């Protein structure tokens, strides 16, 4: 895996009344992953979608499903998401005590394991568990809502994560999530991310194929 660039549309900004069609459209437009935001109204001040929706989507797309669990006590729901068809599961460092332990549980369920950190959480917290992870997710907004502005300090965090995992010779993916758009994706790539979540930056655009192709071109040149 390593540094392959992957574009991950966040369906939080899709039209939920036509979700299957929206996913087919981004799949045809060249998306690499489907980013699936789960919110519990407790870990974040919003509610979104959960296991039954993921299970239905599993039947209509071949793309890997990237489940981002913005929930308290994520360990209670890992099995349900894995069995519903999540390929990659991100839990939040702020919601877990034992990161290697929860990563091991995710892998034992057959999914790839990832830990997300909020803007106020230090990179050291997740780097301490990096050997147990397939991906690190750096949040560049406060989780809970699509369409927020990118927090500039996140670039420094990406650089710190990238240089440390390279220093240790690890091959994990680095995902960035929040406020990623065509005008900042090159900077985000240059700072070290290789998996780019974009919700409003893709679904807010009329032509998914064009915007995904342009994003890919900019990260390739970064
Ligand atoms: C925010 C979610 C994001 C969100 C990104 O809490 O985790 O995945 O959908 O949306 P944009 O790209 O619009 O910031
Ligand atoms: Zn997300």
């Amino acid at each position: 895996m390593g540094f392959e660039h992957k574009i991950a549309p966040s369906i939080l900004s899709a039209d939920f009344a036509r979700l299957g069609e929206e996913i087919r459209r981004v799949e045809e437009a060249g998306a690499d992953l489907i980013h699936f935001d789960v919110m519990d109204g407790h870990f974040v001040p919003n509610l979104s979608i959960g296991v039954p929706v993921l299970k239905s989507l599993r039947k209509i797309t071949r793309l890997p499903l990237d489940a981002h669990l913005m929930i308290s006590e994520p360990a209670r729901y890992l099995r349900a998401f894995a069995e519903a068809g999540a390929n990659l599961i991100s839990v939040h460092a702020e919601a877990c005590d034992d990161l290697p332990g929860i990563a091991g549980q995710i892998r034992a369920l057959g999914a790839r394991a990832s830990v997300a950190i909020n803007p106020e959480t230090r990179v050291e917290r997740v780097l301490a568990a990096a050997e147990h992870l397939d991906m690190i997710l750096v949040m560049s907004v406060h989780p809970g809502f699509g369409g927020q502005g990118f927090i500039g300090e996140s670039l420094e965090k990406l650089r710190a994560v990238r240089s440390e995992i390279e220093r240790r010779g690890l091959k994990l993916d680095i995902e960035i999530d929040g406020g990623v758009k065509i005008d900042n994706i090159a900077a985000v790539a240059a700072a070290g991310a290789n998996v780019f979540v974009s919700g409003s930056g893709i679904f807010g655009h009329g032509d998914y194929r064009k915007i995904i192709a342009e994003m890919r071109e900019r990260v390739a040149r970064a």
Side-chain angles (χ1 to χ4, degrees):
M1 288 261 149
F3 302 158
E4 190 192 334
H5 291 141
K6 296 174 206 164
I7 307 284
S10 163
I11 58 169
L12 192 61
S13 292
D15 179 353
F16 280 143
R18 300 185 298 115
L19 193 50
E21 188 189 326
E22 291 270 71
I23 286 172
R24 277 192 214 96
R25 284 179 63 203
V26 288
E27 183 165 0
E28 282 163 19
D32 298 295
L33 299 174
I34 297 295
H35 185 80
F36 187 97
D37 286 307
V38 181
M39 303 182 186
D40 66 352
H42 182 261
F43 181 75
V44 288
N46 198 6
L47 294 163
S48 62
I49 46 180
V51 173
V53 177
L54 189 136
K55 193 172 178 187
S56 296
L57 297 182
R58 180 68 291 164
K59 297 176 196 145
I60 61 122
T61 182
R62 292 208 188 144
L63 292 180
L65 296 173
D66 169 24
H68 177 194
L69 307 188
M70 290 165 276
I71 64 176
S72 302
E73 297 188 66
R76 292 174 58 190
Y77 303 95
L78 299 176
R79 177 173 294 278
F81 278 104
E83 287 180 353
N87 302 88
L88 176 62
I89 298 178
S90 295
V91 296
H92 266 267
E94 304 81 12
C96 304
D97 294 325
D98 175 11
L99 297 181
I102 200 158
Q105 289 176 47
I106 296 170
R107 286 176 165 176
L109 289 163
R112 299 177 71 229
S114 162
V115 169
I117 50 169
N118 280 342
E120 58 280 355
T121 301
R122 292 162 54 85
V123 296
E124 287 74 13
R125 172 93 169 94
V126 70
L127 286 172
E131 273 78 7
H132 304 270
L133 299 175
D134 300 296
M135 187 172 84
I136 289 174
L137 196 182
V138 175
M139 288 302 301
S140 40
V141 297
H142 295 285
F145 300 89
Q148 305 181 72
F150 184 87
I151 296 173
E153 289 77 25
S154 315
L155 294 176
E156 195 45 56
K157 290 174 93 173
L158 285 174
R159 283 191 277 270
V161 172
R162 175 59 72 195
S163 76
E164 181 59 15
I165 70 162
E166 281 187 1
R167 193 185 69 76
R168 292 194 219 164
L170 300 175
K171 283 264 176 289
L172 43 82
D173 285 319
I174 302 177
E175 183 171 63
I176 184 82
D177 183 8
V180 176
K181 296 213 156 50
I182 190 70
D183 57 357
N184 61 12
I185 199 165
V188 165
N194 72 299
V195 183
F196 308 90
V197 176
S198 181
S200 50
I202 292 174
F203 288 102
H205 197 274
D207 187 338
Y208 300 162
R209 182 180 296 276
K210 187 156 177 252
I211 192 71
I212 290 173
E214 273 177 32
M215 285 179 163
R216 215 181 272 294
E217 205 174 292
R218 291 203 189 190
V219 297
R221 276 193 275 128

